[in-house]
């Protein structure tokens, strides 16, 4: 090793340590020399992760693990498969932190993978999804890493059919215990929980060593829910109120707002109107205070701007999206009809909702500027939000809001740093995402679970999804669990 730099020496030592770790993890077959291991090296790439840009790098992989990251001349064992990829960029696999529809596994899972989305957080769990998660990990189903929430827990008068309704703190505690027993990775809370019940859920989550996340309840201020322990807040709900100079007045109006049990959605829509009013009375001082609180509590925002943009737009704006061919046939009617009670109709409403969306996007960018963690989530499964594809739409919207492309990538990869011992979930790009975030769509290959998905493989997967989308819903779900 005469003449080698100190940096190269460290890389070699890291490589040797990586081989030892691989043997310890069972990645190396017993009795086989290291040179015969299925080792793949990506060489000449520019690595872009949450903390660095590493040009002309070599990334060494064995099955589903990263063994080494170093310079172009990193020593490799004989027999390694070397992929020379000059001019390519490598980012960690993307995550969609707000997904619905993993149970449609022949559609949702492959659409994520072909788009470089190697991890998803399913926000409405039930036992068959916990089994699907296990089957993916056993290698019986090919899919992204799957984090699954509990059944959605909500208070009385919920607008969500199928939600688990809890009317008392004791019922909230039992719901948490049931979620933990069933196998949920976290507890999902919703919009109608009162403060005593949410506090009981938070306390029971702490007792059961499980986190909770979801909507900011309309009955609990965002900062208060964060202090109770809520880890993520979805859809920008509660943010305009929490940063408004009129928060006290508007919260009193919510408290005084009558609710017709026969039409709880009308109450929900009126609360959203109060949020729109709040957005026009934004206070930078209150934003700074809120950000300090969220940082201290370790709470993050998952704004799902791509979904909120649909709800802020006329009903027909996205109905001819060419990606509809990958959705189950019944979605077209379901999405069109489901939007009717949400979207603006008159020219004035359309202008107001467009402005409301812009103001909320500005507030997300402000929270990021103030140090609050922002996560990429799409609300896939909701109208015109497409599994996999819409992660790239969300990245664009974050950049349009004011985040840098590097910050958006960090949000889209959960801050992953590609280091030895980590999971080999990688996306190889044909363009520099730091110059144009849209380059995340220029995918050369996706590497996950020891497989390399090149162009031909991904095109075949898309063709299979398009075919599956035309089948009856029961067939699409077949073999899920």
């Amino acid at each position: 090793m005469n003449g080698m730099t100190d940096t190269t020496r460290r890389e070699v030592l890291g490589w040797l340590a990586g081989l030892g770790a691989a043997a310890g993890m069972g990645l190396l077959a017993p009795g086989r020399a290291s040179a015969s291991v299925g080792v793949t090296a990506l060489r000449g790439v520019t690595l872009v992760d949450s903390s660095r840009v590493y040009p002309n790098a070599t990334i060494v992989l064995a099955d589903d693990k990263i063994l080494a990251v170093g310079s172009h001349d990193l020593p490799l064992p004989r027999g390694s498969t070397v992929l020379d990829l000059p001019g390519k960029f490598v980012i960690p696999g993307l995550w969609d932190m707000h997904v619905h529809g993993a149970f449609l596994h022949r559609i949702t899972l492959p659409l994520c993978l072909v788009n470089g989305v190697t991890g998803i957080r399913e926000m409405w769990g039930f036992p068959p999804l916990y089994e699907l998660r296990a089957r993916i990990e056993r290698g019986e189903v090919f899919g992204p890493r799957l984090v699954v929430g509990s059944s959605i827990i909500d208070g009385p008068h919920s607008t969500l059919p199928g939600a688990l309704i809890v009317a008392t703190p004791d019922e909230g505690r039992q719901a948490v215990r049931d979620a933990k027993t069933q196998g949920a990775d976290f507890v999902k809370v919703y919009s109608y929980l009162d403060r005593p019940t949410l506090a009981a859920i938070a306390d029971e989550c702490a007792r059961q060593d499980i986190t909770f996340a979801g909507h900011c309840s309309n009955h609990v201020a965002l900062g208060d829910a964060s202090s109770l322990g809520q880890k993520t807040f979805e859809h920008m709900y509660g943010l305009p109120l929490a940063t408004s100079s009129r928060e006290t007045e508007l919260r009193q109006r919510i408290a005084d707002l009558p609710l017709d049990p026969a039409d709880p959605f009308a109450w929900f829509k009126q609360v959203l109107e109060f949020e729109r009013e709040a957005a026009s009375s934004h206070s930078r001082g209150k934003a700074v205070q809120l950000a300090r609180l969220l940082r201290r509590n370790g709470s993050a925002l998952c704004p799902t701007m791509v979904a909120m943009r649909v709800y802020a737009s006329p009903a027909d704006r996205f109905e001819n999206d060419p990606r509809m061919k990958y959705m189950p046939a019944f979605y077209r009617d379901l999405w069109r009809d489901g939007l009717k009670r949400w979207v603006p109709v008159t020219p004035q409403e359309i202008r107001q909702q467009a402005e409301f969306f812009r103001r909320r996007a500005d507030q997300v960018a402000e929270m990021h500027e103030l140090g609050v963690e922002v996560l990429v989530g799409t609300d896939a499964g909701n109208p015109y939000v497409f599994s996999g594809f819409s992660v790239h739409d969300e990245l664009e919207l974050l950049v349009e809001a004011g985040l840098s492309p590097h910050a958006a990538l960090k949000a889209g990869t959960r801050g992953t740093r590609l280091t030895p011992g980590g999971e080999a979930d990688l996306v190889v790009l044909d363009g520099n995402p730091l110059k144009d975030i849209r380059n995340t769509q220029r995918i050369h290959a996706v590497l996950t679970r020891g497989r390399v998905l090149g162009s031909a493989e991904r095109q075949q997967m898309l063709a299979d999804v398009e075919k599956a989308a035309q089948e009856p819903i029961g067939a699409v779900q077949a073999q899920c669990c």
Side-chain angles (χ1 to χ4, degrees):
M1 293 189 182
N2 291 339
M4 295 175 67
T5 68
D6 290 340
T7 300
T8 306
R9 289 179 190 277
R10 287 196 297 270
E11 290 166 349
V12 172
L13 290 173
W15 162 244
L16 294 174
L19 284 179
M25 292 182 289
L27 294 177
L28 308 188
R32 295 175 62 184
S34 62
S36 64
V37 176
V39 174
T40 300
L42 312 182
R43 192 163 63 185
V45 300
T46 297
L47 182 158
V48 180
D49 64 15
S50 64
S51 62
R52 60 182 168 168
V53 178
Y54 194 152
N56 205 16
T58 297
I59 307 172
V60 186
L61 315 172
D63 293 332
D64 199 22
K65 295 293 180 181
I66 299 172
L67 292 187
V69 176
S71 61
H72 185 275
D73 58 355
L74 179 69
L76 301 173
R78 287 189 300 273
S80 298
T81 299
V82 179
L83 304 179
D84 283 304
L85 298 169
K88 306 300 183 187
F89 293 78
V90 172
I91 62 173
L94 297 164
W95 273 79
D96 189 337
M97 293 295 286
H98 195 121
V99 171
H100 296 283
F103 65 94
L104 297 172
H105 77 287
R106 293 173 57 204
I107 290 175
T108 301
L109 305 188
L111 285 183
C112 287
L113 292 177
V114 300
N115 280 283
V117 179
T118 59
I120 60 176
R121 185 173 65 151
E122 167 62 63
M123 297 299 288
W124 194 339
F126 49 94
L129 279 177
Y130 307 138
E131 176 57 24
L132 176 62
R133 178 187 59 197
R135 294 191 67 203
I136 291 173
E137 291 307 310
R138 291 195 299 264
E140 298 169 10
V141 174
F142 184 41
R145 303 185 194 279
L146 183 57
V147 174
V148 188
S150 69
S151 178
I152 295 177
I153 302 173
D154 205 4
H157 312 303
S158 174
T159 60
L160 190 65
L164 175 60
I165 304 302
V166 296
T168 67
D170 285 344
E171 290 179 358
R173 289 182 182 277
Q174 186 61 51
V176 171
R177 292 191 290 268
D178 290 344
K180 181 69 180 280
T181 299
Q182 290 171 0
D185 292 310
F186 65 97
V187 167
K188 169 76 179 288
V189 295
Y190 217 62
S191 302
Y192 285 75
L193 291 165
D194 61 29
R195 196 184 194 288
T197 303
L198 183 64
I201 288 171
D203 182 68
E204 192 63 31
C205 282
R207 292 171 182 266
Q208 299 295 327
D209 192 26
I210 189 171
T211 59
F212 71 101
H215 286 203
C216 181
S217 172
N218 291 320
H219 299 295
V220 183
L222 192 149
D224 290 346
S226 172
S227 293
L228 287 173
Q230 187 163 336
K231 288 304 178 185
T232 69
F233 293 90
E234 317 298 308
H235 315 308
M236 304 179 283
Y237 291 160
L239 183 59
L241 277 166
T243 57
S244 169
S245 60
R246 298 174 55 201
E247 180 182 13
T248 301
E249 169 207 340
L250 291 170
R251 288 209 171 277
Q252 186 59 52
R253 289 170 68 182
I254 292 174
D256 295 339
L257 185 66
L259 189 152
D260 180 1
D263 186 16
F265 187 74
W267 187 90
F268 183 81
K269 283 276 284 187
Q270 183 57 57
V271 172
L272 283 180
E273 180 61 21
F274 291 154
E275 290 239 45
R276 189 182 69 81
E277 290 185 42
S280 62
S281 55
H282 179 70
S283 164
R284 171 71 176 185
K286 292 200 67 175
V288 170
Q289 292 175 356
L290 178 65
R292 186 180 301 120
L293 185 65
L294 295 179
R295 291 198 313 269
R296 187 176 71 214
N297 295 332
S299 298
L301 301 179
C302 187
T304 69
M305 289 193 288
V306 66
M308 296 301 98
R309 180 177 61 175
V310 173
Y311 289 115
S313 304
D316 60 354
R317 179 176 173 185
F318 302 100
E319 66 179 10
N320 293 319
D321 191 305
R323 296 171 293 188
M324 284 298 297
K325 66 183 178 181
Y326 299 119
M327 295 293 101
F330 74 90
Y331 268 35
R332 185 173 296 276
D333 294 339
L334 180 70
W335 284 0
R336 183 188 62 240
D337 295 342
L339 278 176
K340 289 178 181 178
R341 62 179 184 168
W342 281 90
V343 297
V345 176
T346 68
Q348 180 182 10
E349 289 174 340
I350 293 170
R351 288 193 302 271
Q352 287 176 339
Q353 289 303 311
E355 177 65 14
F356 183 31
F357 178 78
R358 186 192 66 78
R359 288 180 183 273
R360 286 185 292 172
D362 288 345
Q363 290 173 13
V364 170
E366 179 182 51
M367 286 291 108
H368 172 265
E369 172 205 340
L370 293 170
V372 176
E373 183 179 12
V374 174
L375 300 169
V376 164
T378 65
D379 213 2
N382 276 273
Y384 311 115
V385 184
F386 303 95
S387 296
F389 291 103
S390 286
V391 167
H392 302 282
D393 300 335
E394 186 76 7
L395 289 169
E396 280 192 67
L397 288 171
L398 286 173
V399 172
E400 289 177 12
L403 274 68
S404 71
H406 205 172
L409 277 176
K410 184 176 180 179
T413 59
R414 300 200 309 176
T416 299
R417 191 169 186 264
L418 297 177
T419 56
E423 293 164 342
D425 293 336
L426 311 173
V427 187
V428 183
L429 304 175
D430 287 327
N432 185 353
L434 302 184
K435 287 189 175 180
D436 187 340
I437 195 63
R438 291 173 296 183
N439 282 331
T440 61
Q441 301 172 50
R442 297 177 58 194
I443 296 175
H444 179 78
V446 178
L447 292 84
T448 187
R449 300 191 182 277
R451 294 175 60 172
V452 179
L453 305 179
S455 177
E457 290 85 358
R458 287 181 288 112
Q459 288 302 316
Q460 184 59 56
M461 291 169 71
L462 286 174
D464 292 343
V465 170
E466 187 173 357
K467 181 180 178 181
Q470 304 309 312
E471 298 177 9
I473 182 62
V476 175
Q477 291 179 257
Q479 301 176 356
C480 172
C481 1

